[in-house]
Amino acid sequence: MTYMIHKGSFRATPVKVTFTSALPITDMALSKEHGYVMLTGLAGCATVQALAFRVARARRLYEVEYPDMYSTDPQNGNIFNCIQRAHQHTLEVFPAFLFLLCTAGYKFPRLASGLGLVWIAGRWVFAIGYSTGDPAKRKYGCFGDACFMGLFFASFACAKQLLGWCPRHGKCFL
């Protein structure tokens, strides 16, 4: 790739600069099925926003004013705190989820989308269970964690394929 850069002022003689890559660039093409990965990512964003609305509604209900993150009310504070923590925990893992969804979706779009949708369902079960005020009920959504790990391994398999670490026919899952 060659760029012309003007050295000094605009009227000066241009200097030719060439950038080269040490590694060959792989052509990246997306199939029609990548639309499912995008829709899954959008569903994840909608989930995060819906959980935020639940926290806002709980703030009004339990009278927790901004900027307080947690309630100190001994009677109903635990319920608000659990609703808020369900949203906060989802926010904590959401960037990693989106990264894994996109990287796994590059080579395995249908698998990534399916795992992603089940992870989102797990987040809802997690949030609804946690929002009861009994933190132990959040564990009903742990099936989403298995899907998260599935995305992790699919991302790893995709990286192996891109790096050429798959000996037979360039295809491998793990």
Side-chain angles (χ1 to χ4, degrees):
M1 195 176 283
T2 303
Y3 293 95
M4 299 301 283
I5 299 176
H6 292 278
K7 190 174 183 181
S9 71
F10 181 71
R11 295 182 186 161
T13 306
V15 176
K16 184 177 178 181
V17 179
T18 303
F19 296 97
T20 60
S21 175
L23 298 173
I25 297 176
T26 305
D27 290 334
M28 295 180 73
L30 299 177
S31 71
K32 180 180 176 180
E33 294 168 333
H34 285 88
Y36 296 123
V37 175
M38 293 175 193
L39 288 174
T40 303
L42 287 172
C45 292
T47 296
V48 167
Q49 193 60 45
L51 294 175
F53 289 144
R54 290 180 59 145
V55 172
R57 188 173 52 239
R59 278 190 179 280
R60 286 190 303 274
L61 182 65
Y62 298 111
E63 299 175 359
V64 178
E65 298 297 324
Y66 286 104
D68 294 336
M69 289 285 288
Y70 298 100
S71 175
T72 56
D73 179 14
Q75 188 174 9
N76 292 316
N78 187 49
I79 296 173
F80 172 79
N81 293 342
C82 287
I83 293 169
Q84 192 277 340
R85 275 301 303 151
H87 177 247
Q88 184 65 36
H89 187 266
T90 301
L91 285 175
E92 290 166 3
V93 297
F94 195 61
F97 165 73
L98 287 177
F99 173 78
L100 294 174
L101 179 70
C102 291
T103 55
Y106 177 66
K107 289 283 186 182
F108 312 107
R110 286 180 288 180
L111 175 67
S113 184
L115 290 170
L117 288 172
V118 177
W119 181 83
I120 291 168
R123 285 280 97 191
W124 275 108
V125 173
F126 173 88
I128 291 168
Y130 210 164
S131 298
T132 63
D134 180 7
K137 291 184 179 177
R138 73 186 190 277
K139 294 179 181 168
Y140 296 132
C142 71
F143 62 89
D145 296 337
C147 292
F148 189 86
M149 290 308 298
L151 285 170
F152 178 86
F153 289 121
S155 293
F156 181 69
C158 182
K160 283 176 58 176
Q161 283 187 15
L162 288 173
L163 291 170
W165 293 355
C166 301
R168 286 184 244 136
H169 310 295
K171 297 205 183 247
C172 63
F173 190 75
L174 292 176

